[in-house]
Amino acid sequence: MHITPEVRKAAREVKTPFLIMDMDYVRNNYFDIVSHVRNVQVFYAVKANSHPRIIETLRDLGSNFDVASRGEIEKLLSLGIGPDRMSFGNTIKKVEDIAYAYSVGIDYYAVDSEMEVEKIAAHAPGSKVYGRIATSGGDCDWPLSRKFGTDVNHVISIMEYADQLGLDAYGVSFHVGSQNYNVNSWDDAISDAAEVFKTLRSRGINLRMLNLGGGMPVKHVREIKSVKAYGDIINKALDRYMSSIPDLELFIEPGRSMVGNSAILVSQVILRSKKGNENWVYIDAGVFHGLTETIEGFRYEVLTEGKVDDTKISFHLAGPTCDSVDTVYHEIDLPKNLGYGDIVYFINAGAYTTEYATNFNGIDAPRVLFVEDFIDAKMPIDGEFIE
């Protein structure tokens, strides 16, 4: 998302920090995926950003939804989304949450262990389960396959066990890691999935769904390839490895790639200081207020606005709380004369920002605003915005 006049207007008139979103990006991202990945069904990963306006927009476009908890299920139900459009993709589920999901009619469940299979067999009998394969997670900003997924032979064993317990051994899933820059990661993962399909179908177990997970990147500090480039690799891999499965159903679970580029996190400098030879700048957003992923080195494109010049020096950039963990970046080049009240923008911050945010230290989490509301002049009232 670009810094538009509407974004600048909000930065001048609204109390920071806040996330300002443009829903046109979400709509375009949805159509980009369904246009370039052949015959795919989108299951938006609600955990990326669960704001009701995002959910309602995707609902009306025809999206399905990947849910991780009872809370997310209840939110979707309250927004008029039926259980037939939900998949319980978290492989770590409480028994009572499985029972609840089953009671409201959810039929899809992810597994990567025998115990999870047993819990689902006991509390959601006959449901469709899909086994999650671990991937290498190479060349991605946020690997996921140490905590989640397991090796191909174990997935085969788990799905046989699911079949023995009366569950519908429905398919295979994987996640190549969030912000994966290597398009060939999908080729490798689909090849592994095809091995599971081939083995189990030869044993009479009718796997028929492949879940591509998420992982397509959003532009930050590295260049990225287009969704079409990823789609081309996926389509070719499906032709190469899965052409013998004529009834194959294809799912995909975009999260960051659906909403990441739809928003800017707007913050403000509240202190500048010098500690020895170190230059420090403190802003009113931080790792507890929208920038949690920076703890693991996640790099946003950061732009500034105010009485700043073009000369840059290295700063330590930190948040407002009384916790030393609340340091966003220990090395970042910012304008030399950056000072109190200047605006600091985190570009393409629509995913995993407000969703992670807390009210730690009694400091309010960033609110969510929408560009279209500025255009329609529905806000501001006394410098505040009404959601």
Side-chain angles (χ1 to χ4, degrees):
M1 181 176 168
H2 302 293
I3 301 174
T4 63
E6 291 80 14
V7 174
R8 285 192 167 95
K9 184 175 189 293
R12 290 193 305 269
E13 299 180 357
V14 181
K15 180 182 176 182
T16 56
F18 60 83
L19 189 76
I20 184 163
M21 303 196 72
D22 186 337
M23 295 305 296
D24 283 344
Y25 284 85
V26 176
R27 296 181 189 95
N28 291 339
N29 291 336
Y30 178 84
F31 288 119
D32 214 11
I33 291 170
V34 298
S35 296
H36 292 114
V37 181
R38 190 171 59 235
N39 299 322
V40 76
Q41 298 181 59
V42 172
F43 282 75
Y44 170 62
V46 174
K47 62 183 178 288
N49 192 324
S50 66
H51 194 282
R53 198 178 300 194
I54 295 171
I55 302 300
E56 289 167 342
T57 297
L58 290 170
R59 175 199 65 195
D60 295 345
L61 290 174
S63 180
N64 304 297
F65 299 87
D66 166 56
V67 295
S69 67
R70 176 170 178 160
E72 290 185 352
I73 295 168
E74 290 174 336
K75 175 176 275 193
L76 296 188
L77 291 173
S78 74
L79 295 172
I81 296 163
D84 57 315
R85 296 173 67 177
M86 300 183 209
S87 172
F88 208 156
N90 188 351
T91 57
I92 310 160
K93 300 179 281 293
K94 289 185 175 182
V95 162
E96 53 266 38
D97 291 352
I98 294 170
Y100 172 76
Y102 181 72
S103 74
V104 299
I106 293 177
D107 201 25
Y108 303 132
Y109 300 84
V111 296
D112 63 4
S113 66
E114 286 81 3
M115 182 181 285
E116 197 70 8
V117 168
E118 292 165 356
K119 292 190 299 184
I120 294 168
H123 299 279
S127 295
K128 296 180 173 68
V129 294
Y130 51 96
R132 180 164 173 172
I133 299 173
T135 65
S136 66
D139 200 22
C140 67
D141 287 343
W142 205 271
L144 293 169
S145 280
R146 190 170 181 182
K147 181 178 180 181
F148 305 104
T150 187
D151 64 82
V152 165
N153 288 332
H154 192 198
V155 169
I156 291 170
S157 172
I158 287 169
M159 298 306 286
E160 284 187 303
Y161 188 42
D163 180 70
Q164 292 165 12
L165 294 184
L167 294 168
D168 183 348
Y170 181 55
V172 174
S173 72
F174 58 79
H175 198 302
V176 297
S178 191
Q179 286 289 106
N180 194 306
Y181 301 96
N182 183 0
V183 294
N184 292 316
S185 296
W186 278 263
D187 183 277
D188 295 340
I190 292 170
S191 175
D192 286 344
E195 185 177 340
V196 178
F197 269 77
K198 179 180 178 181
T199 299
L200 289 176
R201 286 174 72 103
S202 72
R203 298 175 186 176
I205 297 175
N206 185 34
L207 296 189
R208 55 202 183 277
M209 186 277 287
L210 176 62
N211 187 330
L212 302 168
M216 291 185 189
V218 172
K219 175 69 170 64
H220 290 296
V221 296
R222 288 180 61 175
E223 292 301 317
I224 63 171
K225 291 182 168 58
S226 66
V227 172
K228 181 181 184 301
Y230 286 87
D232 287 346
I233 289 292
I234 290 168
N235 294 334
K236 289 175 183 175
L238 292 170
D239 289 340
R240 183 179 303 118
Y241 305 119
M242 307 288 284
S243 60
S244 63
I245 315 296
D247 55 346
L248 181 68
E249 298 176 49
L250 192 65
F251 292 2
I252 194 168
E253 296 175 347
R256 194 187 305 276
S257 62
M258 186 68 80
V259 296
N261 68 348
S262 70
I264 294 172
L265 182 64
V266 182
S267 63
Q268 189 177 76
V269 174
I270 57 175
L271 178 67
R272 175 175 174 163
S273 70
K274 186 99 173 173
K275 302 179 187 299
N277 294 324
E278 297 177 347
N279 296 294
W280 285 77
V281 166
Y282 302 83
I283 57 177
D284 56 8
V287 302
F288 300 105
H289 297 89
L291 297 169
T292 302
E293 289 193 312
T294 63
I295 292 175
E296 294 290 332
F298 194 92
R299 302 295 297 200
Y300 290 97
E301 180 184 4
V302 179
L303 301 177
T304 59
E305 193 166 61
K307 297 185 179 71
V308 296
D309 60 26
D310 293 334
T311 305
K312 292 187 177 183
I313 61 173
S314 181
F315 283 92
H316 298 262
L317 180 64
T321 66
C322 300
D323 194 312
S324 60
V325 171
D326 192 9
T327 302
V328 179
Y329 297 127
H330 277 292
E331 289 187 10
I332 183 170
D333 290 339
L334 297 169
K336 182 178 180 179
N337 65 336
L338 193 66
Y340 188 90
D342 289 333
I343 299 299
V344 179
Y345 298 104
F346 292 82
I347 308 301
N348 291 348
Y352 303 108
T353 46
T354 51
E355 204 67 24
Y356 276 142
T358 73
N359 293 320
F360 178 54
N361 271 185
I363 299 170
D364 290 340
R367 291 164 298 159
V368 181
L369 314 178
F370 294 87
V371 166
E372 49 262 49
D373 291 329
F374 274 87
I375 295 170
D376 293 339
K378 294 177 182 176
M379 309 191 192
I381 299 173
D382 296 330
E384 295 292 327
F385 273 61
I386 302 170
E387 291 189 67

